[in-house]
Amino acid sequence: MKMGKEHGQRQVLLIFLLLGVAGAGWESRHYFVLEETPSGTFLADLPKDLGLGVAELAARGAQVVSEDNESRLQLDLQTGKLILNEKLDREELCGPTEPCVTHFQVLLKKPLEIFRAELRVGDINDHSPEFPEREMTVKISETSSVGSVFLLKSAQDLDVGNNSIQNYSLSTNSHFHVSTRTRGDGRKYPELVLDQELDHEKQAEFRLTLTALDGGSPPRTGTSQIRILVLDVNDNAPEFAQALYQVQIPESSPVGSLVAKVSAKDLDTGTNGEVSYSFFHRSQEMGKTFELNALSGEVRLIKTLDFETASSYEIDIEASDGGGLSGKCSVSIQVVDVNDNYPELTVSSLTSPIPENSPETEVALFRIRDRDSAENGKTVCSIQDGIPFVLEPSVENFYRLMTESGLDREKRAEYNITITVSDMGTPRLTTQHTITVQVSDVNDNAPAFTQTSYTLLVQENNSPALHIGTISATDSDSGSNAHITYSLLPTHDPQLDLSSLISINADNGQLFALRALDYEALQNFEFQVGATDQGSPALSSQALVRVQVLDANDNAPFVLYPLQNASAPFTELLPRAAEPGYLVTKVVAVDSDSGQNAWLSFQLLKATEPGLFSVWAHNGEVRTSRLLSERDAPKHRLLLLVKDNGDPPRSASVTLHVLLVDGFSQPYLPLPEVARDPAQDEDELTLYLVIALAFVSSLFLLSVLLFVGVRLCRRARASSLGGCSVPEGHFPGHLIDVSGAGTLSQSLQYEVCLTGDSQSNEFRFMKPAFTNILNQNSDGQSADYSPFPSILGL
């Protein structure tokens, strides 16, 4: 078939004109039948109404054609009677629409005539009123004034007219009565009216029965229990910004689209000012079509709309505060028609085969219909070029397919006739019907992924070949054109070796992790996947896959301070005068994991004195819990536990040594690496001096005379100086400072002098610069002492 060519294409524009007169001299007839009437019931005598005989009616091939192609009516050609073919349900046919009318046509051939008629289905009282809930709860403030009106949920009755709900009544009580109101569309709804002031302290709850009564004969009823709760001191009901919200929404809106957003304010505070939204009254169909967000007041679609099924909706929304007061607004939704219905083509008769050389023979009679409205419902009908057939418009929406001239079987034994019907909407929708031709599939739809991108979460340290997710694509074609093969596309990141990380099942799109992933090394990566069909030519599409590696608690805490791998244990000094809460040290640790797996807590597991020290759980500070006493051991060992917050948790231990001291300046500390004994230093010095003297004595024995002369000369020269001289040379100054950085408790200065020209080991210690040092003894009294003799000469 060739489409899109303007020249040579014969088109006939058919605009639906709803004519009141369908046949010459015969007005459109109206028939009536009550719903639930048994099938086979007589409806009309068509020969009498049409002015034809029964034989003529049969000879002309009369048949009844319904607008919706349903066989609800049957024509008996032997008697000419129009009878009911099936039992009708008015509520199923028309729902709440009144009157309920179904249209049909009587089709006569040879010659062609069409008579239009309609069948009105009457309602019977076969449905009782039903409330949406068996029990309703109404919260009323005790401050409500007499005459206040409170909304009640109305009942539903599928019947219409007088058979629908006509009145509401309330069980006998002294505080309330019910008032029946009428909406703009004629439906009745109840309102609860307060007749007497309420007192929460006297009666906090009422239980009443609400009855809905329809107007049928006999009438039917439905009941619901009302539970009335009397509330205290909530004197401001929610108020909507608008009493009526009017919105329009295209019928092509996707599921989840925002239809309207209502807003109510409550001047109260606290829970009495918290507003929640709910449908006040909704039918079962409305509940399947719309949903309401109780917090935001947003009304959204949960089902696709169809203008042809329902062109408008009325929704009542209630705003309730925490104190039980409520307000009401209405949302009027108008569904805007879009061109979403393809034209429909129904063949009423088909003549085949056609004798050859038959001039202008009717091949087919068909009817076209478009359920859209306005321009979307106007249609253009055509057939392809190059075949000896023409289309002729008939009455109303019927067409006849006629031969243009006599056919020659020897030239062509079979014709493939394609009837194309296009509407005038935007975009234009087209329906094609082919007689004796099978249209094969063309690969015109590429595979489409269900998502443009996929995000997969994988726990680190996974097992190799783990299934981490599945991608999926669909193809609207059929057969091999819809068979999809999945593949990994080359990555543009040279540092990402995708082939060693991920594999894909070409048949079902399942993705597998080829090796264990490490969150600390690779937290996320992404790549492209492709889906290719097996059509000719093959079509393909691609999607993005993001892989997020989730952290697992696979790293234990690591202690930075104090280091635990030292050869000697770490020791902290604690003065005995420390107050409770004194900071001894702080344990510093880190965890390579992230999130709660890296949250660390500290705990004291074991201590020499359990009640002496405490550890702050969140910062690792080790502090004293009480004052120190003389009975406390001088050395303490603490075992601390550093634990993360993972599942299961991991931990590390810390060992601390704490040494109690009287003060950080005391000259003796029990640990060998802390301080040295001054007496030991003096012993070493004496040893060195003895060795030096022995060496000098040995030299003296070998050369007595020489050494005697030299020493006598030097002594005489030294005595002539009358004091201590400091030669230039090895000592830059006459004072040597011995500070308290070692084990000495005070800073002392000593004067060192060498004999005039001495180059040997002979020297003398002079007295300190401060001769008397005040020291505190163990009894608390001061004493003067000199740590060394005033002069020591060797």
Side-chain angles (χ1 to χ4, degrees), residues 68 216 225 250 323 341 354 381 436 460 474 566 636 669 679 687 700 726 756:
D68 53 3
Q225 298 297 316
N341 288 285
I354 302 294
C381 186
T436 70
E460 69 168 326
T474 58
H636 295 263
L669 295 180
L687 177 62
F700 176 75
V726 181

Side-chain angles (χ1 to χ4, degrees), residues 12-29:
V12 181
L13 176 64
L14 177 62
I15 303 177
F16 285 92
L17 302 175
L18 302 177
L19 301 176
V21 178
W26 193 76
E27 296 182 352
S28 178
R29 294 302 179 99

Side-chain angles (χ1 to χ4, degrees), residues 358-379:
S358 297
E360 298 183 357
T361 303
E362 178 182 300
V363 179
L365 176 67
F366 61 91
R367 177 170 59 93
I368 60 174
R369 176 190 179 191
D370 196 306
R371 295 179 183 271
D372 294 318
S373 60
E375 292 295 321
N376 295 332
K378 297 178 181 180
T379 58

Side-chain angles (χ1 to χ4, degrees), residues 658-676:
V658 179
L659 186 65
L660 303 186
V661 296
D662 291 330
F664 287 118
S665 61
Q666 69 184 47
Y668 174 77
L669 295 180
L671 292 180
E673 64 272 25
V674 175
R676 299 185 61 183

Side-chain angles (χ1 to χ4, degrees), residues 251 308 337-341 370-374 376-377 423 429:
E251 65 173 333
E308 289 69 32
D337 182 41
V338 297
N339 192 28
D340 61 340
N341 288 285
D370 196 306
R371 295 179 183 271
D372 294 318
S373 60
N376 295 332
D423 62 22
L429 301 179

Side-chain angles (χ1 to χ4, degrees), residues 456 468 488-489 491 496 498 502 504 511 525-529 543-547:
L456 306 180
I468 61 174
L488 296 176
L489 300 182
T491 179
L496 180 63
L498 187 62
I502 299 296
I504 189 171
L511 294 170
F525 59 95
E526 60 184 33
F527 54 91
Q528 297 280 346
V529 293
L544 179 66
V545 178
R546 296 184 179 91
V547 178

Side-chain angles (χ1 to χ4, degrees), residues 674-688:
V674 175
R676 299 185 61 183
D677 190 352
Q680 181 180 357
D681 292 338
E682 293 179 2
D683 292 341
E684 292 180 358
L685 180 60
T686 303
L687 177 62
Y688 297 151

